[in-house]
Amino acid sequence: MTRFITVKEEKSALTARFQLLDKEAPRHAEMLWRIAQQGGDHGAIHAMWTGPEISCPVVGDSLPQGTVIDLPPENATSFPDMGEIATVFAPKGTWKGAPDADFFDIGIFYGPGGRMLMPMGWIMGSVCARVVPEDLAALREGCGAIRRNGSCRLTFEATSRN
């Protein structure tokens, strides 16, 4: 079974499908899948440090209930490619100034030059999904609109096919 998530944002008209990379990053892909299955929307903003990225932190009580969180880096990089989702899991207390709870940051990279350089230094993200090629242009256009518009609310929908 091939699993996909669809990322949507109303104001920008963003709709883009991503294939989960279950073999390369099974734990991170599973967490993203569970977030998509539980529904709801999540606050997001254009990242300040990492280049062409929409950052969507899912924090504390918004994480899927009953999830055992054991998320070491998988398929890790500091330089995500255009069209990739790179996730970072940080337990409560990992970084000074971070949320006072566990968080799972979903980074949607929509252009070239993405980098995981943060104020605390270089970090690694787990590449766990890749946009389907026919949706790359829509991803770039929608994320560009989000950059111009400011903060937004993203929804994630889970779909699969055999």
Side-chain angles (χ1 to χ4, degrees):
M1 176 175 63
T2 304
R3 300 190 303 174
F4 297 86
I5 61 161
T6 301
V7 178
K8 294 182 178 183
E9 197 278 322
E10 188 175 326
K11 189 173 180 182
S12 68
L14 169 66
T15 299
R17 294 167 295 150
F18 291 80
Q19 181 177 346
L20 295 180
L21 303 178
D22 287 312
K23 291 181 182 168
E24 296 88 341
R27 291 183 190 113
H28 284 256
E30 181 64 22
M31 179 63 89
L32 191 53
W33 179 252
R34 287 183 181 207
I35 289 168
Q37 284 183 312
Q38 80 180 9
D41 59 3
H42 304 276
I45 193 164
H46 195 279
M48 183 167 41
W49 301 94
T50 54
E53 178 204 2
I54 304 301
S55 174
C56 180
V58 181
V59 181
D61 290 342
S62 295
L63 291 168
Q65 297 298 315
T67 302
V68 175
I69 299 179
D70 177 19
L71 294 172
E74 305 171 305
N75 199 28
T77 186
S78 291
F79 300 96
D81 288 331
M82 176 173 45
E84 291 182 334
I85 292 179
T87 56
V88 175
F89 174 72
K92 177 181 175 179
T94 298
W95 297 300
K96 181 179 179 181
D100 192 28
D102 293 344
F103 73 93
F104 184 74
D105 187 73
I106 303 167
I108 302 169
F109 288 83
Y110 66 90
R115 61 209 173 267
M116 305 288 288
L117 178 60
M118 303 295 286
M120 73 288 273
W122 288 98
I123 63 172
M124 301 287 277
S126 297
V127 177
C128 64
R130 189 168 292 120
V131 71
V132 297
E134 58 270 25
D135 288 1
L136 180 58
L139 175 68
R140 294 190 69 172
E141 184 175 319
C143 290
I146 292 169
R147 181 179 183 185
R148 291 185 299 277
N149 294 337
S151 64
C152 67
R153 305 291 297 177
L154 294 181
T155 61
F156 301 91
E157 297 175 0
T159 59
S160 61
R161 70 173 183 223
N162 291 326

